[in-house]
Amino acid sequence: RMLSGYKPKNDIKDSYKILELEEGCSLDDVRNSYRNLAKKYHPDSSSGMADSKAFIRVEEAYRLVLNDLAAKPKPDPGEEEEDQFKSKSLQHRHYLSFEGVGIGTPSQREKQYMQFRVDRATEQVLEYRQQRLESRYAGSDLSRAKDVRQSKKVKITQAVERLVEDLIQESMAKGDFDNLSGKGKPLQKFSDSPHIDPMTHNLNRILIDNGYQPEWILLQKEIRETIEGLRKSIVASRRKLGEPMTLSEQKQWGRICEQFAEDIRKLNKRVDNFNLVVPILSRQMVHFSTDKEMLRARKTYEAVVEKVSHSDTKESEGEAGKRFGWKSSLLKWLKL
């Protein structure tokens, strides 16, 4: 691949001299001489005389000699040997074949060939899955009708786009756009930040207009809603048990706390997944502590109980005032 478009500069006599051969030699002599010189001058060999330029000259001479031998008439027994030799690839290129993929050193070509194989395997898997899906839904009249409608829609859209492009090109040819304001001046697409890539800006605007939210935004919202729900549920469960708790209620409260700890552990796994996909380092979240959440729930429960008891005290005082209000009014009337 590297030498496919290269034109050699040596003539046939110099080529024989470079290969250290004489005219009229056999194919075996040419092959043996080329092999020895390739081992001697090849850049990847461990020889102390390795030289890339010398190896290129040897390769050019080898190709010219092969062409010269192929052009000369050969007896019938030798034609089979020549065809067999021409069909073979160069000896020093056997380990560099890689289906003709890649350039560079052998290690670089090997890496490029491995990546090529991975991409090809991926395409084959996708084609296989597509064929399976097509064969699965091939017998459905509804799917065929849907495909027909979709294809018609695509054709109509393409036809309209071509018509619009033709009209624009026709108007440009007539000079209808020559008198537009701002002709020859750069477009002011992004007045806020001119350094933003136009394609990225347009894609983000389209996604935002259609209600798209990134994965990390959805995960963050889900984590916040989950922790709020867990906090409310643990406080509600504690209020149902009352104060003080009996022995059975204490066992039930222990099971509730164990379930709460398990829910916190699962929530922390979601936090790990969120930290892997969030693009901003400052937006990463820390794990929720079971002990801190239990202490928070306890304080919330005590505040709710205190508020309820305070409201009950006010209500009892109000009822007592209503109950004894007629007696105080009677005493005041008697005094008067």
Side-chain angles (χ1 to χ4, degrees):
R1 288 172 61 89
M2 294 174 62
L3 302 173
S4 60
Y6 185 80
K7 295 182 179 180
K9 300 180 180 179
N10 301 327
D11 56 6
I12 190 64
K13 293 182 179 181
D14 294 336
S15 300
Y16 278 102
K17 290 181 181 179
I18 292 173
L19 294 178
E20 299 177 355
L21 297 172
E22 296 180 357
E23 296 185 9
C25 60
S26 63
L27 287 173
D28 292 333
D29 296 335
V30 175
R31 180 172 55 187
N32 294 331
S33 177
Y34 175 73
R35 184 183 302 171
N36 295 330
L37 293 174
K39 292 180 180 178
K40 185 178 180 181
Y41 296 112
H42 196 280
D44 296 333
S45 65
S46 58
S47 175
M49 301 179 65
D51 187 3
S52 59
K53 295 182 180 179
F55 175 73
I56 291 175
R57 290 195 298 270
V58 169
E59 189 171 13
E60 292 174 1
Y62 176 66
R63 294 179 182 274
L64 287 175
V65 170
L66 283 182
N67 295 332
D68 182 66
L69 293 177
K72 292 181 179 180
K74 297 287 182 178
D76 294 338
E79 290 180 359
E80 296 180 359
E81 182 180 1
E82 180 183 359
D83 295 338
Q84 182 180 3
F85 178 73
K86 289 173 64 178
S87 63
K88 294 182 179 179
S89 61
L90 304 180
Q91 296 295 324
H92 73 287
R93 293 294 180 182
H94 280 176
Y95 68 102
L96 293 177
S97 62
F98 300 130
E99 300 182 16
V101 176
I103 59 174
T105 62
S107 60
Q108 292 175 351
R109 293 193 64 189
E110 183 178 3
K111 292 180 181 178
Q112 295 172 12
Y113 179 63
M114 294 299 295
Q115 184 62 36
F116 169 74
R117 291 185 61 186
V118 170
D119 296 339
R120 183 172 60 184
T122 304
E123 293 177 358
Q124 291 176 355
V125 170
L126 293 176
E127 291 177 358
Y128 174 74
R129 291 181 177 177
Q130 183 179 1
Q131 291 176 1
R132 285 190 61 186
L133 291 175
E134 290 176 356
S135 61
R136 181 182 299 176
Y137 297 103
S140 176
D141 296 336
L142 181 61
S143 63
R144 284 200 298 268
K146 185 177 180 180
D147 293 339
V148 170
R149 291 196 300 268
Q150 187 68 21
S151 62
K152 289 183 179 179
K153 184 178 179 180
V154 171
K155 289 180 180 179
I156 293 173
T157 304
Q158 293 177 352
V160 172
E161 291 178 353
R162 287 196 298 269
L163 177 60
V164 172
E165 290 293 335
D166 293 340
L167 292 175
I168 292 174
Q169 294 295 333
E170 184 179 355
S171 300
M172 291 175 63
K174 292 179 180 179
D176 295 339
F177 299 153
D178 293 342
N179 298 325
L180 295 178
S181 60
K183 179 184 178 182
K185 299 180 181 179
L187 296 177
Q188 300 293 333
K189 292 184 178 180
F190 313 105
S191 57
D192 296 336
S193 180
H195 305 289
I196 299 177
D197 180 29
M199 183 63 68
T200 304
H201 178 82
N202 291 331
L203 289 176
N204 291 336
R205 180 176 54 80
I206 292 171
L207 293 174
I208 292 172
D209 293 343
N210 289 274
Y212 172 78
Q213 292 181 348
E215 182 182 2
W216 66 276
I217 294 291
L218 298 177
L219 280 174
Q220 186 181 34
K221 184 179 179 181
E222 182 182 356
I223 290 171
R224 290 177 177 175
E225 292 178 352
T226 303
I227 191 62
E228 290 297 329
L230 291 175
R231 289 169 179 172
K232 291 180 181 180
S233 64
I234 191 68
V235 174
S237 301
R238 182 64 184 88
R239 290 185 62 186
K240 289 181 181 179
L241 297 177
E243 186 70 30
M245 293 186 295
T246 61
L247 183 60
S248 60
E249 290 176 345
Q250 290 178 0
K251 292 180 179 180
Q252 185 178 357
W253 174 247
R255 291 192 295 269
I256 293 172
C257 292
E258 291 178 358
Q259 183 62 36
F260 182 76
E262 180 66 19
D263 295 336
I264 291 295
R265 186 182 65 82
K266 294 180 180 178
L267 184 61
N268 287 332
K269 288 186 177 180
R270 296 184 186 177
V271 173
D272 293 336
N273 296 332
F274 169 78
N275 292 335
L276 290 175
V277 298
V278 63
I280 306 174
L281 186 62
S282 60
R283 291 295 185 92
Q284 290 191 346
M285 303 176 67
V286 297
H287 284 185
F288 295 96
S289 175
T290 305
D291 297 336
K292 291 183 179 180
E293 293 298 330
M294 292 298 297
L295 181 61
R296 180 193 182 102
R298 180 180 178 182
K299 291 181 179 180
T300 304
Y301 168 72
E302 291 176 354
V304 170
V305 170
E306 183 179 357
K307 184 177 180 180
V308 171
S309 61
H310 185 64
S311 61
D312 292 342
T313 303
K314 285 186 177 181
E315 291 179 358
S316 61
E317 290 178 355
E319 292 179 356
K322 291 180 180 179
R323 186 182 306 168
F324 299 102
W326 65 275
K327 292 183 180 180
S328 59
S329 59
L330 179 60
L331 290 173
K332 288 180 181 179
W333 180 76
L334 291 175
K335 288 179 181 179
L336 292 172

